[in-house]
Amino acid sequence: MDLEFNVQGGDFVRAGNASSQIKKVLKQLNADSAIIKRVVVALYEAEVNIAAHAYDGVIRANIDTERIRLLLDDNGPGIPDIERAMTPGYSTASSAVREMGFGAGMGLPNIRANADEFVITSEVGKGTHLEITVYLNQ
Amino acid sequence: MRENTADRNSFRHALTIDPDVCVGCAHCMRVCPTEALRVRQGKAILQNNRCIDCGECFNVCPSGAIVIKQDEFDSIFAYQHRVALIPSIIIGQFPEDVTPDMICQALVSIGFTKIMLVEDSVEYLIPQVRNYVENADCEKPIISSYCPAIVRLIQVKFPSLVGNLMLLRPPLDLTTAYVKQELVREGAAEEQIGVFYITPCAAKIAAVKSPVGEDRSEVTGVFNMDYIYNRILREIRHKDVDPSIAVKYKPLSARSLRWSLTGGEANEVKGSCLAIDGIANVIQFLEKVENEEITGVDFLELRSCDQSCAGGALTAGNRFIAVEHLHKDSVALSSKKVVSDKILCDYKTANEGKTALRRVEPRSMLKLDEDMGMAMQKMERVNRMMCHLPGVDCGVCGAPSCSALAEDIVQGEATISQCVFLQRTMEQNKLSPDHAFKIMKQVWGDDRFKKNCHKPYKSK
């Protein structure tokens, strides 16, 4: 099953829409609630990242009985140093974003911690690509 | 209506629909927060596994077809010691000239031998709640288990949050254990003690009759507050209460009196605590908690009714007036220490080793099938169907929303031709108007299509 969501840069109000929809789908599929929680937390962080850093982005979800795979592509500044971005507490968020309660620098590490498989690639000046896989039966 | 022990196991809900009274107006179906109602053959049908006993349907039913089951009043007379456990909000129901003493005297006059306020145990409970929130090794926020409709909501709709529920028994249980102990100490035989709870809502009945997290409730029976309110007021207005009845209202501490109101719990717990009332507000908030969109909260007091228990479906007075009345009373009490160390000690003995609830099990209503492969097939069918359904959620199909109809169809409980929009499309092809009419009658019954100048309405 495939689902697709658009995310607007700067729209923190609607960030969370995709994770709420995915959550509902996984509940209907009778997935384990602890697994649902990991998916939703990882996806919400990723949605907020697009809202905080990118101009816009697309989230594609592919679900089968084994796993959920989330592909996130944004048009944005990209990440020059991915290794540093993966360090807990490291953040490039603007002070305006921090004032809204986001940008504490836990986003990417938190996504990785909740995913079974996590791939991140980025091109400076173009955008970032994330692949988050969570197995539904483990 | 009297419940015997055999009925206790099968009694899952306090709310039932009387099909002889129901006119199939579907008002209930539109307000149910868990989409537990459908209309078939012109009658509302309640789906037991989805109902959380919140009472929203009861509040909007114009014909009085939704019944909140209570015990037979005369069942109290099977006991020599008959305790009425009244919630503090009952005081706020009556006109100002009816004093708490008069309420207690009237209760004795109709047959009770002892009157206790449910919140009598709150002073004993508060340190335990504080300790629980500070030291619990479960996930934050800790969610109060005070409101039984909220416990049931989390079980069916937010199964991943069952681990956040505070596993402490509510004041009702603690007070019941205490009052039984005290009566036994005074020489009563335990089997001669009946403890009867006067409830402001349906959820609390369900909590007594089919408790979650404990085997059985110690409460003997339950009466609806609207019924008892009428009995009390009749006693006061139409009879001179026997002056020999010397029973006096025993005041609570200010914070005990406010416990069942919005903020009653949250104000007594340290840390970041929120109080949210109204089932729609609660659902909206829990969605965000579940996504971890909201973090850093230590304690959540969640109540199904607007204005918490003062807004219960079985209350008699206006909820805002009742809240104001209790707040005034609690301000007058605020400096007084009314609970002695001895009483706290007696509470401890009465509840030793039984203050904890068992782990609450989820019972998700959302899954389309136990088997994930089947669930996925069903979901794909639902999604395809949603492309055809109009998305206006008109309810004319007998389901509360287009998505509910689509799910009913894949579960084999409805047919796609129940949708009036699709009927029009089908009539363009092969569906005869006669057949379409017959389908609508299957949902709404024959009477819905007859002229009726006396449709019931209710303003509350």
Side-chain angles (χ1 to χ4, degrees):
Chain A
M1 187 179 350
D2 293 294
L3 300 156
E4 192 174 309
F5 307 90
N6 292 310
V7 185
Q8 269 304 311
D11 191 353
F12 291 97
V13 177
R14 277 180 196 82
N17 178 34
S19 31
S20 286
Q21 296 295 321
I22 296 279
K23 179 173 73 179
K24 193 178 168 214
V25 167
L26 292 175
K27 281 183 181 178
Q28 290 182 314
L29 292 179
N30 199 25
D32 180 79
S33 56
I35 292 173
I36 296 177
K37 193 155 191 174
R38 281 169 48 213
V39 173
V40 168
V41 169
L43 181 57
Y44 178 66
E45 292 282 5
E47 274 188 272
V48 170
N49 275 347
I50 297 177
H53 300 287
Y55 315 122
D56 57 51
V58 183
I59 298 171
R60 294 184 187 85
N62 175 265
I63 311 171
D64 60 35
T65 52
E66 299 295 315
R67 52 121 187 89
I68 175 167
R69 177 160 290 154
L70 302 161
L71 304 175
L72 297 93
D73 285 284
D74 69 40
N75 296 305
I79 304 171
D81 186 344
I82 288 178
E83 207 173 308
R84 238 177 123 192
M86 293 299 298
T87 314
Y90 177 77
S91 176
T92 59
S94 66
S95 57
V97 167
R98 284 164 190 259
E99 270 169 28
M100 297 173 78
F102 301 101
M106 302 300 286
L108 288 174
N110 201 17
I111 296 172
R112 182 168 60 184
N114 282 290
D116 289 316
E117 287 166 24
F118 177 67
V119 178
I120 178 168
T121 53
S122 190
E123 199 176 324
V124 174
K126 285 195 83 174
T128 302
H129 170 80
L130 254 60
E131 282 181 44
I132 301 165
T133 305
V134 176
Y135 291 99
L136 298 176
N137 303 307
Q138 291 178 2
Chain B
M1 266 198 289
R2 190 165 175 175
E3 301 294 328
N4 58 37
T5 346
D7 290 336
R8 281 192 178 233
N9 296 326
S10 56
F11 187 96
R12 287 193 61 172
H13 292 291
L15 291 161
T16 52
I17 298 165
D18 184 343
D20 295 334
V21 183
C22 178
V23 296
C25 67
H27 288 39
C28 54
M29 184 180 82
R30 291 176 208 282
V31 298
C32 178
T34 57
E35 296 196 324
L37 287 147
R38 300 291 184 273
V39 178
R40 294 285 180 275
Q41 314 288 343
K43 306 288 173 191
I45 309 285
L46 186 66
Q47 299 184 346
N48 278 333
N49 58 344
R50 286 175 169 246
C51 173
I52 58 169
D53 285 297
C54 68
E56 296 289 317
C57 54
F58 179 88
N59 287 335
V60 299
C61 178
S63 51
I66 296 176
V67 183
I68 298 181
K69 278 195 238 170
Q70 61 178 339
D71 288 301
E72 195 78 48
F73 187 77
D74 282 349
S75 66
I76 71 168
F77 295 109
Y79 299 86
Q80 199 183 338
H81 304 273
R82 305 179 286 274
V83 184
L85 275 185
I86 55 172
S88 65
I89 53 147
I90 200 171
I91 297 162
Q93 307 299 309
F94 291 92
E96 295 263 344
D97 64 315
V98 175
T99 63
D101 281 343
M102 290 161 78
I103 296 169
C104 293
Q105 283 157 3
L107 283 165
V108 169
S109 177
I110 64 172
F112 291 102
T113 59
K114 189 177 176 67
I115 319 299
M116 282 285 284
L117 272 98
V118 176
E119 293 83 1
D120 195 69
S121 54
V122 166
E123 285 295 326
Y124 167 67
L125 179 62
I126 286 174
Q128 298 185 44
V129 174
R130 285 183 180 161
N131 183 40
Y132 192 102
V133 176
E134 272 170 47
N135 300 314
D137 53 2
C138 66
E139 279 196 60
K140 294 276 177 82
I142 286 164
I143 300 174
S144 169
S145 54
Y146 177 81
C147 174
I150 297 297
V151 173
R152 285 157 176 74
L153 174 75
I154 289 173
Q155 282 184 294
V156 303
K157 211 173 157 92
F158 299 97
S160 74
L161 297 176
V162 290
N164 296 54
L165 282 166
M166 181 172 74
L167 300 178
L168 285 179
R169 284 190 185 229
L172 178 62
D173 293 14
L174 306 177
T175 307
T176 304
Y178 169 80
V179 73
K180 280 188 176 174
Q181 170 188 275
E182 294 309 295
L183 284 169
V184 168
R185 280 182 181 176
E186 289 164 20
E190 195 162 353
E191 65 278 7
Q192 278 304 320
I193 304 171
V195 179
F196 298 90
Y197 174 50
I198 316 301
T199 182
C201 69
K204 292 251 163 79
I205 302 184
V208 168
K209 301 293 182 182
S210 58
V212 173
E214 51 191 331
D215 293 327
R216 59 183 296 268
S217 168
E218 295 291 320
V219 175
T220 317
V222 187
F223 304 120
N224 295 348
M225 192 187 281
D226 55 355
Y227 168 76
I228 296 292
Y229 173 88
N230 285 338
R231 293 284 307 258
I232 292 173
L233 209 53
R234 214 158 36 200
E235 209 68 21
I236 290 171
R237 294 282 186 245
H238 297 292
K239 277 190 211 166
D240 293 323
V241 173
D242 183 351
S244 69
I245 299 174
V247 60
K248 284 262 179 224
Y249 166 72
K250 179 184 149 207
L252 294 172
S253 70
R255 53 188 190 174
S256 306
L257 195 64
R258 287 193 305 258
W259 192 251
S260 64
L261 303 181
T262 304
E265 294 172 273
N267 290 341
E268 298 305 325
V269 179
K270 292 198 186 92
S272 165
C273 304
L274 293 176
I276 301 170
D277 59 7
I279 189 96
N281 298 333
V282 169
I283 290 172
Q284 193 182 37
F285 195 84
L286 288 179
E287 289 282 349
K288 292 189 182 293
V289 171
E290 207 178 31
N291 295 8
E292 294 191 12
E293 283 181 52
I294 290 170
T295 53
V297 178
D298 296 305
F299 180 76
L300 284 178
E301 169 201 306
L302 306 177
R303 308 279 177 81
S304 177
C305 297
D306 180 37
Q307 301 299 319
S308 294
C309 301
L314 295 167
T315 54
N318 178 278
R319 59 189 182 278
F320 302 105
I321 305 282
V323 169
E324 201 248 353
H325 189 149
L326 284 188
H327 272 294
K328 259 195 209 156
D329 284 4
S330 76
V331 168
L333 285 166
S334 56
S335 57
K336 289 181 191 153
K337 190 186 179 206
V338 289
V339 183
S340 69
D341 292 342
K342 182 186 175 303
I343 292 176
L344 291 178
C345 194
D346 289 340
Y347 262 104
K348 189 162 182 255
T349 328
N351 288 288
E352 198 75 71
K354 48 180 181 182
T355 52
L357 291 175
R358 274 201 317 267
R359 206 189 120 76
V360 175
E361 296 301 328
R363 46 181 187 93
S364 173
M365 63 175 200
L366 296 164
K367 59 188 175 208
L368 291 170
D369 203 284
E370 287 292 333
D371 175 73
M372 200 184 285
M374 276 304 288
M376 198 162 291
Q377 282 179 26
K378 286 180 179 174
M379 190 183 294
E380 279 164 357
R381 279 187 62 202
V382 167
N383 291 343
R384 279 200 300 276
M385 216 124 38
M386 289 303 287
C387 301
H388 298 284
L389 294 170
V392 295
D393 296 345
C394 64
V396 178
C397 59
S401 62
C402 293
S403 58
L405 174 65
E407 285 168 30
D408 287 353
I409 294 168
V410 302
Q411 303 294 16
E413 287 152 17
T415 59
I416 199 157
S417 55
Q418 282 171 228
C419 173
V420 275
F421 283 77
L422 294 184
Q423 275 189 8
R424 294 292 89 77
T425 315
M426 290 174 197
E427 278 174 355
Q428 304 284 315
N429 300 319
K430 54 180 185 219
L431 181 71
S432 74
D434 276 355
H435 191 193
F437 192 58
K438 221 161 89 187
I439 294 165
M440 280 296 112
K441 276 188 167 178
Q442 278 168 7
V443 176
W444 295 101
D446 292 346
D447 291 346
R448 181 61 54 195
F449 296 89
K450 291 178 189 153
K451 182 180 171 186
N452 176 6
C453 303
H454 303 285
K455 293 190 183 75
Y457 69 94
K458 184 179 186 181
S459 57
K460 187 169 177 179

